[in-house]
Amino acid sequence: MHIIIKRFIPLIAILFFIGVAQAQHVRIRGVVTDSLTHEPLPFVNVVFKGKNIGAITDMDGKYILESQWGSSTLLFSSMGYALKEVKLSGKSNQEVNVQLASNSTELKTFEVQGKKQKYRNKENPAVILIRNVLAHKDENRGKTFDFFEYEKYVKSEYDLNNFKDGWLDGRGMEGFQVLSDYIDTSDLNGKPFVPILIQEKMAYVYESDHGSKSKEVVTATTLSGFDDGNFSSGVDQFMSKIGGEIDIYESKVLLFDKSFTSPISSVGPTIYRYYITDSTEIDGKKFNKLSFLPRNNTMIAFTGFMWVGDSTSNYGVRSIELNLDKRMNINFLDDMRITQEFRYTSEIGWHLVEDKMVVDFQPIGKTLGVFNTKTTSYFGFKINTEHPVDFYSGLTSVSYEVGAELKSKEYWDENRHQKLTESEIGVYDLADTIQNISQFKTFNTIVKLLGTAYLTVNKIEVGPMTSLMSYNTVEGIRFRAGFRTNLKFDKNWRITSWLAYGTTDKRFKYKAQLEYYFSKNPYRRLLVSYVDNTYQPGFALSSIPTDHYMLSFRRTPATNMFYVKNFKFSYDHEWTNGLVNTLEVNINTINATRFNTMHYAVTNEIAESIVDNSVTFGTRFSLNEKFIQGNFMRESIKTTAPVFKFKYTYSGPGFGSDYEYHKLFLRIEKRFMPGIFGFTDIDIEGNKMFGKVPYPLLVIHRGNESLSYQKNSFNMMNFMEFASDQSLGLFVEHHFNGLLFGFVPLVRQTKMRVVVSGKMLVGNVSSTNSNLSDPEIILKPERLGSLSIQPYSEGSIGIENIFNILRIDMVKRFTYLDAPNIGNFFGVKGLAPRIAFKLKF
């Protein structure tokens, strides 16, 4: 669980130090119908009187309105109908059904229909209008020039929200009263908020070849608020998954790790229902308000409207608003709104001038939450200014000018497109004030301990606490104590060290590691370490150390471990965004434990140790890859761009090794996002070794003897069960999001999701490494097999998003069922449950 919390340290700290006392939360639902025909009315505005808090009705006339800042009166309004006010009772959960009367003064005849008319695309004026928009989208999307450039300003703000009046007067809030000077009210849903952090960026964007090539040069960046603190790094980790820039003319919009179908898409009429709900004139031109909503509220699609011109405006979109239906299967979002404004000029045509996204992130029920407001404005458009072809070359489309982060306050005052509000200006002083309050320091320390398993003591962090005591068959009870330095020690240097002792093998183990960061963006790091420790072949559980206390509970005894002494030197050099090379030197001495002595096949003599000194060259490449860069960590943001990883390793007598070999490793990762069907991750991994090696140096395939589900390991394979010197693995995992359960009435409300996976591995051990008459071959243990008979395969079906964090899979092993230590579940051999914790949108 500490791995989960780690990603949310800042949010949890900032939410809990304030407390969770709330005012009464009101939930109102109902249906709005026509007073004459009794048909449901879609797109009726339902708002609290005197507040900017409201909702609109769906295709069935239904609405849900939730708030704790509402008023005692609801207003119902829709074009063509008279405004209606309804007084509310004092109940927290109410049903208010309303009939609206037409406001037409002349009504000569009318027809009462006995049933609701079926929505049709055929001859529907709204569908005809959207098809005209689609027919002209290539002309109106601003991608018609050979060369196009403009200035871009981005302001991203994070605000604390969802608190009640008097929240600063509560117990433990001494010192926080300063926040009251910065309280404002959101125009998204009326919630009060306090600005916490603001990021700003100025850039110049160059496009060529009708927008197919682009280059962004960032000229200035600044960060106010909790700079270099837990808040900024953690919020970025989570908010980065919201998504990037949105092009409404693209068929798919990527947000919240999901692929939304755009309302301006060729398949839009099959996903959305469209209605013309209003019209107006702007600068002598007629524009129609085209409203839209998904045909099914579980679909990954938007609700909203756009103002669309007629043929005299080339059916251009002047503005658009995109919202999410709260019933959609997306976690932690209480509200969201995206608005875009377009303008038309005779020289450029239709072009985007402002883009604004507001997200109300609610991590813990109805308690405190966070607004993220990202505003992007575009200015200074130029066309047909030609640049050389190599100007757009390179692996990354974004570059930073030297000193972009060093611009003065005067520069920002003169160049930002929008002036900061008074509350935004005060964020600089506000952050410094909060971080010096003793209560905040205490809560921040506690939550950081829960999240990282480290306890901060001035310039060092003691831990990890999850490895203080553990158990395995070789060492018995293992005690460990360690520390690492933090930013207070140095921003570029980091020291990590620990000492461990086993009560059964009565041996000390230890590690000393030194890191130096030449640069964190681009990423350039030098690492030197020495470790004397136990070693488990085939262990590769993500984010879990080998002595984590949870691994004290294994399916099989840990008799297949080794002792290893390792000196490591490595250097990572990022040439440009997405391209990293690694040089790694390892000096290894592997020794057997009392459970797994190593014998030569011919002489049966004991091999005291194996010396394996190697050099590895690695490459990691992904086009325009995005990362979250923390103080001493870096995490890739998963996108649809493929990721390539390649390693070449050489070991030989010239390096003092006992054996000579060459080893190649290649891994390709790709995510596919087929819209409403969810997303699929496909990973392919291959290994090939040339040369003669003992079995501990073969490719020991990644097993998993814990109860946790591991995406990149074989969950029903034991540690050190299979080895190869050439292999090929396939990992496929598909997340349906809310697609399947979205059609099950009672299950739909739980927001649980279906996930399926399949994994296959083929490989073998060549005759070079399996010839038992060779005196250099070491006998492998009986439990270590090869894959020469048939592929190893397993599959799983699971339910994720249980309580927003839990995933439970039933994993089935299909092959090698006669192997030892293969468990069974309800009498089915090779079947077992696995769990995982992961917070996802």
Side-chain angles (χ1 to χ4, degrees):
M1 178 65 76
H2 80 279
I3 299 168
I4 302 167
I5 301 174
K6 179 179 179 180
R7 299 173 182 267
F8 297 90
I9 291 172
L11 295 180
I12 296 172
I14 209 78
L15 301 184
F16 276 98
F17 84 80
I18 292 174
V20 296
Q22 297 294 316
Q24 183 184 27
H25 188 86
V26 177
R27 186 176 190 271
I28 304 168
R29 60 185 176 87
V31 180
V32 182
T33 56
D34 187 292
S35 62
L36 295 178
T37 65
H38 304 296
E39 291 182 356
L41 296 178
F43 300 108
V44 175
N45 294 304
V46 186
V47 298
F48 285 107
K49 186 176 181 180
K51 306 285 184 178
N52 56 348
I53 305 170
I56 61 171
T57 58
D58 64 10
M59 284 308 307
D60 299 317
K62 297 179 180 179
Y63 72 93
I64 297 176
L65 192 55
E66 297 180 83
S67 182
Q68 61 187 36
W69 298 281
S71 62
S72 59
T73 304
L74 279 186
L75 297 180
F76 296 81
S77 63
S78 181
M79 186 179 69
Y81 290 88
L83 179 70
K84 188 163 187 175
E85 293 189 11
V86 176
K87 288 286 185 180
L88 300 173
S89 68
K91 297 180 180 179
S92 60
N93 199 331
Q94 304 177 45
E95 181 174 351
V96 180
N97 299 320
V98 171
Q99 292 186 339
L100 297 185
S102 171
N103 61 6
S104 300
T105 55
E106 296 182 8
L107 186 61
K108 297 181 180 179
T109 61
F110 65 88
E111 177 183 357
V112 178
Q113 297 176 342
K115 62 179 181 179
K116 179 182 176 181
Q117 287 184 327
K118 186 177 180 180
Y119 176 91
R120 296 180 182 275
N121 282 342
K122 187 177 181 181
E123 298 179 355
N124 184 334
V127 176
I128 294 173
L129 180 58
I130 192 62
R131 284 179 173 157
N132 280 323
V133 174
L134 287 167
H136 294 81
K137 73 174 186 177
D138 290 337
E139 307 159 30
N140 295 330
R141 65 188 306 183
K143 305 288 185 182
T144 58
F145 302 102
D146 292 331
F147 299 94
F148 188 45
E149 56 191 71
Y150 51 87
E151 189 178 85
K152 182 171 76 170
Y153 166 72
V154 182
K155 180 180 68 176
S156 189
E157 178 181 330
Y158 299 101
D159 313 307
L160 181 70
N161 70 20
N162 217 27
F163 44 82
K164 67 170 185 175
D165 293 338
W167 62 295
L168 292 173
D169 300 326
R171 185 177 178 181
M173 293 304 297
E174 300 83 1
F176 289 105
Q177 283 74 18
V178 65
L179 295 177
S180 62
D181 297 333
Y182 302 92
I183 295 177
D184 206 342
T185 302
S186 169
D187 60 2
L188 173 66
N189 50 23
K191 292 183 179 181
F193 68 86
V194 173
I196 297 297
L197 179 143
I198 298 175
Q199 295 170 302
E200 295 180 271
K201 180 178 75 172
M202 295 288 298
Y204 214 79
V205 181
Y206 305 85
E207 296 181 356
S208 69
D209 196 14
H210 307 283
S212 63
K213 299 177 182 177
S214 67
K215 179 177 181 178
E216 179 177 320
V217 179
V218 179
T219 57
T221 63
T222 186
L223 173 68
S224 66
F226 292 87
D227 191 8
D228 287 331
N230 291 327
F231 188 85
S232 57
S233 61
V235 169
D236 273 355
Q237 285 191 53
F238 195 76
M239 291 301 182
S240 64
K241 297 180 180 294
I242 290 176
E245 297 180 357
I246 294 171
D247 185 350
I248 60 169
Y249 288 105
E250 287 287 344
S251 295
K252 296 178 181 179
V253 175
L254 300 182
L255 289 171
F256 315 111
D257 285 338
K258 295 174 175 58
S259 178
F260 288 75
T261 301
S262 170
I264 307 177
S265 167
S266 58
V267 297
T270 65
I271 303 296
Y272 290 95
R273 299 183 186 225
Y274 299 91
Y275 295 87
I276 297 176
T277 55
D278 203 351
S279 63
T280 190
E281 280 195 8
I282 304 175
D283 298 331
K285 299 284 188 179
K286 181 181 179 181
F287 289 86
N288 290 301
K289 185 179 183 181
L290 184 62
S291 299
F292 49 85
L293 73 167
R295 290 174 175 263
N296 185 304
N297 57 43
T298 62
M299 289 183 172
I300 307 299
F302 298 104
T303 297
F305 62 86
M306 65 184 94
W307 285 97
V308 180
D310 58 14
S311 58
T312 62
S313 299
N314 204 39
Y315 298 101
V317 176
R318 183 177 177 85
S319 65
I320 189 169
E321 180 176 306
L322 306 173
N323 300 282
L324 295 183
D325 191 310
K326 292 185 179 181
R327 292 166 295 182
M328 193 177 297
N329 196 335
I330 299 179
N331 296 327
F332 312 116
L333 293 187
D334 196 53
D335 220 333
M336 189 214 73
R337 178 190 297 160
I338 299 170
T339 56
Q340 292 187 338
E341 298 288 335
F342 299 81
R343 291 294 179 268
Y344 179 85
T345 61
S346 57
E347 182 183 25
I348 301 176
W350 287 104
H351 54 279
L352 181 65
V353 294
E354 184 175 276
D355 185 345
K356 185 175 183 180
M357 174 189 286
V358 185
V359 178
D360 185 359
F361 171 52
Q362 206 71 41
I364 311 171
K366 300 300 180 183
T367 62
L368 296 165
V370 173
F371 280 131
N372 172 227
T373 304
K374 182 180 179 182
T375 305
T376 306
S377 57
Y378 307 86
F379 183 75
F381 300 93
K382 296 180 182 179
I383 61 173
N384 299 326
T385 301
E386 188 172 353
H387 295 279
V389 176
D390 59 0
F391 178 79
Y392 301 93
S393 62
L395 297 173
T396 177
S397 62
V398 181
S399 61
Y400 287 77
E401 286 188 352
V402 177
E405 72 283 3
L406 302 176
K407 301 294 184 181
S408 66
K409 178 181 179 298
E410 290 71 25
Y411 169 88
W412 285 102
D413 290 340
E414 293 176 6
N415 290 276
R416 63 166 57 96
H417 292 187
Q418 303 171 357
K419 290 185 177 181
L420 299 180
T421 65
E422 289 298 323
S423 61
E424 291 171 343
I425 293 173
V427 170
Y428 293 87
D429 298 331
L430 176 63
D432 293 337
T433 301
I434 289 179
Q435 292 183 94
N436 288 317
I437 297 174
S438 60
Q439 293 96 325
F440 177 81
K441 291 181 178 179
T442 301
F443 278 98
N444 196 34
T445 299
I446 293 173
V447 176
K448 187 174 182 180
L449 175 62
L450 293 173
T452 66
Y454 279 87
L455 178 64
T456 301
V457 181
N458 199 9
K459 296 182 180 182
I460 66 170
E461 298 172 355
V462 179
M465 301 301 175
T466 52
S467 296
L468 288 179
M469 186 173 70
S470 59
Y471 174 82
N472 63 70
T473 311
V474 172
E475 297 178 272
I477 299 176
R478 173 182 167 118
F479 297 96
R480 169 176 154 177
F483 75 92
R484 65 188 185 189
T485 59
N486 55 32
L487 285 180
K488 292 181 180 179
F489 176 81
D490 196 273
K491 290 186 177 181
N492 299 103
W493 290 95
R494 187 176 220 192
I495 300 171
T496 303
S497 183
W498 54 257
L499 178 68
Y501 180 77
T503 58
T504 300
D505 67 353
K506 301 186 184 304
R507 288 181 56 153
F508 283 99
K509 296 89 182 175
Y510 56 90
K511 178 178 182 178
Q513 178 174 292
L514 179 67
E515 296 171 89
Y516 181 75
Y517 292 80
F518 295 92
S519 169
K520 296 179 182 179
N521 187 17
Y523 187 75
R524 294 168 185 176
R525 182 192 69 158
L526 176 69
L527 180 148
V528 179
S529 70
Y530 183 81
V531 62
D532 185 334
N533 197 18
T534 53
Y535 161 60
Q536 172 66 72
F539 179 93
L541 304 186
S542 60
S543 304
I544 302 177
T546 56
D547 56 357
H548 192 284
Y549 73 93
M550 288 298 294
L551 289 175
S552 302
F553 311 97
R554 294 176 36 155
R555 296 201 306 269
T556 65
T559 56
N560 49 9
M561 299 174 72
F562 292 87
Y563 293 118
V564 63
K565 295 179 180 179
N566 168 260
F567 172 82
K568 178 179 179 180
F569 167 91
S570 70
Y571 175 67
D572 301 305
H573 189 98
E574 183 178 47
W575 299 96
T576 184
N577 187 28
L579 178 61
V580 180
N581 282 126
T582 300
L583 170 64
E584 185 175 305
V585 176
N586 283 280
I587 299 175
N588 285 309
T589 301
I590 300 173
N591 294 94
T593 68
R594 64 185 185 279
F595 294 107
N596 62 349
T597 53
M598 298 179 291
H599 297 262
Y600 289 104
V602 175
T603 64
N604 202 34
E605 293 180 359
I606 295 177
E608 297 293 338
S609 63
I610 297 173
V611 177
D612 174 39
N613 303 330
S614 64
V615 59
T616 298
F617 298 95
T619 298
R620 188 183 190 281
F621 170 69
S622 182
L623 190 63
N624 284 323
E625 189 168 23
K626 296 181 179 180
F627 293 92
I628 294 299
Q629 180 65 59
N631 297 329
F632 292 104
M633 56 75 64
R634 196 184 208 203
E635 181 176 337
S636 174
I637 301 173
K638 192 75 172 181
T639 66
T640 56
V643 179
F644 299 88
K645 300 176 183 178
F646 174 78
K647 289 183 180 180
Y648 165 72
T649 301
Y650 172 75
S651 178
F655 291 167
S657 299
D658 292 339
Y659 296 86
E660 183 175 21
Y661 64 88
H662 303 264
K663 181 179 179 180
L664 301 175
F665 167 84
L666 175 65
R667 183 177 174 90
I668 304 173
E669 303 172 356
K670 179 73 173 75
R671 171 167 289 183
F672 299 88
M673 302 188 74
I676 62 173
F677 299 102
F679 67 90
T680 304
D681 288 334
I682 299 179
D683 303 331
I684 301 173
E685 182 177 294
N687 290 277
K688 175 65 178 178
M689 296 188 73
F690 302 90
K692 185 190 303 181
V693 295
Y695 77 86
L697 300 184
L698 292 171
V699 178
I700 309 294
H701 298 293
R702 298 186 300 274
N704 178 16
E705 294 189 10
S706 71
L707 295 176
S708 66
Y709 180 88
Q710 295 291 323
K711 180 179 178 181
N712 293 317
S713 297
F714 297 95
N715 289 284
M716 293 302 294
M717 182 187 293
N718 294 324
F719 290 139
M720 207 169 168
E721 183 177 353
F722 293 105
S724 304
D725 56 17
Q726 52 187 357
S727 64
L728 183 66
L730 175 65
F731 304 79
V732 180
E733 186 169 275
H734 182 78
H735 300 253
F736 285 94
N737 290 332
L739 181 64
L740 298 184
F741 281 167
F743 298 99
V744 183
L746 295 179
V747 180
R748 180 171 56 202
Q749 280 71 27
T750 67
K751 292 190 176 182
M752 293 190 298
R753 306 165 185 170
V754 177
V755 56
V756 297
S757 73
K759 302 176 182 180
M760 181 176 291
L761 178 68
V762 295
N764 66 359
V765 179
S766 65
S767 57
T768 303
N769 290 310
S770 58
N771 183 9
L772 297 183
S773 61
D774 189 328
E776 293 184 304
I777 294 296
I778 295 177
L779 286 172
K780 64 181 182 65
E782 290 186 10
R783 66 177 296 170
L784 181 61
S786 70
L787 296 162
S788 56
I789 301 175
Q790 61 181 328
Y792 173 90
S793 62
E794 67 178 40
S796 71
I797 181 169
I799 300 175
E800 60 181 348
N801 206 41
I802 303 171
F803 308 119
N804 294 342
I805 63 169
L806 179 62
R807 168 177 170 175
I808 300 178
D809 286 73
M810 291 302 300
V811 186
K812 179 67 173 72
R813 174 169 169 161
F814 300 114
T815 56
Y816 296 96
L817 294 176
D818 295 330
N821 301 313
I822 304 301
N824 64 80
F825 191 71
F826 286 113
V828 180
K829 195 166 188 180
L831 180 70
R834 293 289 180 267
I835 63 172
F837 294 92
K838 190 170 185 180
L839 287 166
K840 299 173 61 178
F841 275 118

